[in-house]
Amino acid sequence: MSLLDTWRETAYSPTASKDDLRRLWKAYFEKEKEIYASLLSNPDEVVEGTVDELADKYDVELMTMVGFLDGINDSLKKPNPIEEMDENTKVSLEFDKELLYKNMVAASADWLYGLEQWNDIFSEEKQKELYKEQKSSMTIVKDAKVYPNDPCPCGSGKKYKKCCGKNK
C-alpha cells in the first residue's frame, strides 16, 4: 500500500470513531498551518527534499507530511508523484502563489488564506480580488428559461415556439 493510500485510509476511515477523527484532523490542521506559515514567509524559495526529509524539516510525522503533500499538490507548479511516492521520493513544494490562495479559498480554509504572511505577498485589494474570482468561479449561473411566446434567442425575430422551439 502506498503512503498516500495509508494516509487516506487513516484520515477518512469509516471505522474510526468521530472523536478519533476529530483529534486527528485538529492536530493535522495545526501542523498544516505551521508549514504554510513557514512556506509563505519565504514564498520564492523552492523547498525540495524527500518526503522523510521534509517531515523532519517541518517537525511533523511522516503521515502528516503525506497529507500535506496531498493537499498542496494541486497548487504546485509541477505536481509531485503522490500516488506512488514513498518516504524516499524527492518532492518539491514550489507553488503558484495565486493558485494556492484560490485553492485555500475553495477549501474554505480561512485559517490558511487568512494567514498574515499573505499580506507580504499580496495587497489587501489583490487578496479580495483573488477571493472574489475563486468564489465566482464556483457559482453556477443558470440561463433564463425561454418560454414558448418569448422571442427566439437565435435572433430571428420569431416567437420561440415558431422557430427553434418547434416540435420536429
Side-chain angles (χ1 to χ4, degrees):
M1 183 181 298
S2 75
L3 285 177
L4 185 62
D5 290 336
T6 304
W7 160 254
R8 289 179 176 169
E9 193 173 284
T10 304
Y12 303 103
S13 172
T15 58
S17 74
K18 286 183 180 182
D19 284 340
D20 287 345
L21 287 175
R22 197 174 297 122
R23 276 192 293 278
L24 179 140
W25 282 105
K26 183 177 188 255
Y28 171 80
F29 290 143
E30 288 173 11
K31 291 295 186 180
E32 177 189 47
K33 184 177 178 179
E34 290 172 14
I35 296 170
Y36 276 119
S38 176
L39 284 173
L40 294 172
S41 293
N42 193 356
D44 296 319
E45 176 190 3
V46 178
V47 177
E48 294 179 325
T50 66
V51 177
D52 196 39
E53 289 169 348
L54 292 180
D56 287 343
K57 175 181 174 86
Y58 293 107
D59 193 29
V60 296
E61 293 179 12
L62 182 66
M63 282 297 115
T64 301
M65 181 50 65
V66 171
F68 181 81
L69 290 168
D70 185 23
I72 197 173
N73 211 45
D74 291 339
S75 303
L76 298 176
K77 290 184 178 179
K78 183 179 175 218
N80 290 311
I82 61 172
E83 295 293 334
E84 57 270 348
M85 71 183 171
D86 63 30
E87 55 272 349
N88 298 314
T89 303
K90 188 153 175 102
V91 294
S92 171
L93 298 180
E94 184 179 13
F95 58 92
D96 177 308
K97 296 175 202 118
E98 288 189 9
L99 184 57
L100 179 60
Y101 190 87
K102 287 180 178 182
N103 286 340
M104 288 175 171
V105 170
S108 298
D110 57 339
W111 65 94
L112 296 177
Y113 68 79
L115 284 169
E116 65 183 40
Q117 287 82 355
W118 283 114
N119 298 332
D120 294 332
I121 299 170
F122 298 128
S123 67
E124 188 176 337
E125 294 78 30
K126 181 68 174 176
Q127 289 178 54
K128 286 179 183 177
E129 176 188 323
L130 293 170
Y131 182 91
K132 193 173 177 181
E133 276 179 32
Q134 179 57 39
K135 287 297 187 181
S136 66
S137 74
M138 296 170 30
T139 304
I140 298 170
V141 179
K142 289 185 177 181
D143 291 334
K145 182 165 172 56
V146 180
Y147 293 93
N149 288 322
D150 288 346
C152 190
C154 77
S156 68
K158 297 179 184 177
K159 286 186 179 184
Y160 178 68
K161 67 182 178 185
K162 297 284 186 180
C163 189
C164 294
K166 211 177 210 180
N167 292 333
K168 296 182 179 182

